[in-house]
Amino acid sequence: MNNKIITISRQFGSGGRTVGRQAAQALGIPCYDQELLEKIAEESGFSKEFIRDRGEHTPHSSWLANAFSDRGPHGLSTQDYLWTIQSQLILELAEKGPCVIVGRCADYILRDKTPCLRAFIHAGLDQRADRIVRVYGQTDEAPVKRLRDKDKRRAAYYRFYTEMEWGDARNYHICLDSGAVGIQRCADIIVELYHAFPQQG
Amino acid sequence: MNNKIITISRQFGSGGRTVGRQAAQALGIPCYDQELLEKIAEESGFSKEFIRDRGEHTPHSSWLANAFSDRGPHGLSTQDYLWTIQSQLILELAEKGPCVIVGRCADYILRDKTPCLRAFIHAGLDQRADRIVRVYGQTDEAPVKRLRDKDKRRAAYYRFYTEMEWGDARNYHICLDSGAVGIQRCADIIVELYHAFPQQG
């Protein structure tokens, strides 16, 4: 498997998804984000909404809570079941051809398999709060609270399945603050890097 | 104070210092690294070697150990005394004009003072081990052990004085893996970013 892949991990509201789409467009390769969600839904039988909202919940860590948690087919917890399907699909997408994959721990799933440029996009809390209200609209919950909850959940989910720290610079080849750098420029830098990646010699 | 500054935080052996020097050269602005060490030495009365080797030690956290530790003038612990001098010097350098400052928590010291592009440079353990043997030569201690010790010390020092996590992507505008990206390209990307930083609107 020698397809060059870009994985984009991102803080909620940082515009990381847009960075991924813009980079993919500039490179003329597919960007998997919604499509990946749809494929996981199709494969697992769960709805897209369920996967989006619950897919990043961490399995219960105590055996007691775990014993009473939801079970999918094969006796796996729902999360472990989704994780298995997601890992398989991501490996298949990477086999198919060069692409951008947003979220879903693709950086970890592809870590040994293929030349994979791992990017992490983040931004300040205020800038993200502005953005989620603009993009997703108001909800009953204050934007900053939504962001903090989502951050905490993603970090826990990532830690659970990868045993690494989400957002630790050392896990990525490039990390960018989209609030300070600008979304379009983030995409430009990643595109430029992709061409020369990995550096030779 | 409106000088645009670049701060480079870096893992030992990642070539972050070279990235800083190359970026400064391309921009025609000074890079403070050794010169900063010399100024701290001059100002504090300690030798450069002492500051380099001991300056990143974290003050003892227990009151007992602290009570018996070295004291500088003013009754401060040696580390707190050096921290005060270092902070003052970094603020003065940033007042003087645009520049690159490598290490010494300059990112934190300048956090509210000036437009400051904060970069973090890291690389894989193997690549750093190769580099430190090439640049600094062999010592009795195995390179990987030297790196791990240095990483641990820098992380503890940074955490002690800034209450933030060293190497957490969210503390920097850009983080780059110099092993995968290449040292020269890291410098190029930072230079490019500097011109348009901070983005307008």
Side-chain angles (χ1 to χ4, degrees):
Chain A
M1 184 156 65
N2 286 313
N3 295 317
K4 245 195 318 185
I5 312 292
I6 298 174
T7 60
I8 309 255
S9 311
R10 78 289 179 223
Q11 280 190 315
F12 182 50
S14 68
R17 208 158 41 137
T18 310
V19 171
R21 269 205 305 268
Q22 289 181 351
Q25 199 168 14
L27 291 165
I29 60 179
C31 176
Y32 298 114
D33 168 32
Q34 277 298 109
E35 297 82 343
L36 181 56
L37 207 61
E38 274 158 31
K39 277 177 201 287
I40 298 172
E42 208 175 292
E43 199 75 28
S44 67
F46 287 108
S47 75
K48 269 197 308 183
E49 293 65 33
F50 179 87
I51 296 164
R52 195 180 44 226
D53 298 341
R54 296 282 307 278
E56 283 179 346
H57 284 212
T58 307
H60 303 290
S61 51
S62 88
W63 68 268
L64 190 65
N66 207 24
F68 289 100
S69 73
D70 303 343
R71 296 274 148 192
H74 319 297
L76 293 170
S77 75
T78 306
Q79 276 75 22
D80 285 351
Y81 172 61
L82 287 173
W83 174 261
T84 310
I85 290 175
Q86 163 175 328
S87 301
Q88 222 169 328
L89 282 170
I90 287 172
L91 288 166
E92 282 170 22
L93 290 175
E95 287 271 13
K96 263 175 63 181
C99 62
V100 177
I101 304 178
V102 179
R104 310 240 146 240
C105 302
D107 56 322
Y108 175 77
I109 292 164
L110 297 175
R111 68 200 175 288
D112 302 319
K113 297 285 187 292
T114 189
C116 178
L117 176 61
R118 298 190 296 271
F120 180 75
I121 308 293
H122 57 100
L125 208 55
D126 292 350
Q127 281 157 311
R128 292 194 290 139
D130 280 357
R131 189 177 164 85
I132 63 167
V133 170
R134 227 169 44 239
V135 176
Y136 306 103
Q138 291 279 7
T139 66
D140 290 344
E141 212 176 5
V144 168
K145 188 169 180 315
R146 279 160 75 193
L147 289 170
R148 284 199 206 280
D149 285 354
K150 201 89 169 171
D151 285 353
K152 226 187 271 178
R153 208 181 295 283
R154 280 197 185 157
Y157 179 80
Y158 191 83
R159 192 182 301 121
F160 185 86
Y161 282 108
T162 70
E163 294 181 34
M164 302 193 303
E165 283 303 310
W166 186 69
D168 185 317
R170 289 155 280 196
N171 298 335
Y172 310 95
H173 297 114
I174 181 163
C175 304
L176 290 163
D177 177 337
S178 60
V181 172
I183 286 178
Q184 181 62 57
R185 188 171 295 269
C186 287
D188 294 345
I189 293 173
I190 289 170
V191 166
E192 218 179 300
L193 214 53
Y194 180 84
H195 288 301
F197 182 86
Q199 70 146 351
Q200 306 301 328
Chain B
M1 183 157 67
N2 286 311
N3 296 315
K4 246 196 315 187
I5 311 292
I6 297 174
T7 60
I8 309 254
S9 310
R10 78 287 180 226
Q11 280 189 316
F12 183 49
S14 68
R17 208 156 44 137
T18 310
V19 171
R21 269 206 304 268
Q22 289 181 350
Q25 200 169 13
L27 291 165
I29 61 178
C31 176
Y32 299 114
D33 168 33
Q34 277 297 106
E35 299 83 343
L36 182 55
L37 205 64
E38 273 159 32
K39 277 177 201 283
I40 299 172
E42 210 175 288
E43 199 75 28
S44 67
F46 287 107
S47 74
K48 271 197 307 184
E49 292 66 33
F50 179 86
I51 296 164
R52 196 181 42 226
D53 298 341
R54 295 284 305 277
E56 283 179 348
H57 285 214
T58 308
H60 304 291
S61 52
S62 88
W63 67 268
L64 190 65
N66 207 25
F68 288 101
S69 73
D70 303 343
R71 295 277 149 190
H74 320 295
L76 292 170
S77 74
T78 306
Q79 275 76 19
D80 284 351
Y81 172 61
L82 286 174
W83 173 261
T84 310
I85 290 174
Q86 165 176 325
S87 302
Q88 223 167 329
L89 282 170
I90 286 172
L91 288 166
E92 282 169 23
L93 291 176
E95 285 274 11
K96 264 175 64 182
C99 62
V100 177
I101 304 178
V102 179
R104 309 243 147 238
C105 303
D107 55 323
Y108 175 78
I109 292 163
L110 297 175
R111 68 199 174 289
D112 302 318
K113 296 285 187 291
T114 192
C116 178
L117 175 61
R118 299 190 296 272
F120 181 75
I121 308 294
H122 57 98
L125 208 56
D126 291 351
Q127 281 158 311
R128 293 193 290 138
D130 279 357
R131 188 175 165 85
I132 63 167
V133 170
R134 224 165 51 236
V135 175
Y136 306 104
Q138 292 278 7
T139 66
D140 290 343
E141 213 177 3
V144 168
K145 185 165 183 319
R146 278 159 77 192
L147 289 170
R148 285 199 206 279
D149 284 353
K150 199 89 166 172
D151 285 353
K152 225 189 270 179
R153 208 181 293 283
R154 278 198 186 155
Y157 180 78
Y158 191 82
R159 192 181 301 120
F160 184 86
Y161 282 109
T162 70
E163 294 180 34
M164 301 192 305
E165 283 304 309
W166 186 70
D168 185 315
R170 289 155 280 197
N171 298 336
Y172 310 94
H173 297 114
I174 181 162
C175 304
L176 290 163
D177 178 337
S178 60
V181 172
I183 286 178
Q184 180 64 55
R185 187 170 295 269
C186 286
D188 293 346
I189 293 173
I190 289 171
V191 166
E192 216 180 302
L193 214 52
Y194 180 84
H195 287 303
F197 183 85
Q199 69 147 348
Q200 306 301 326

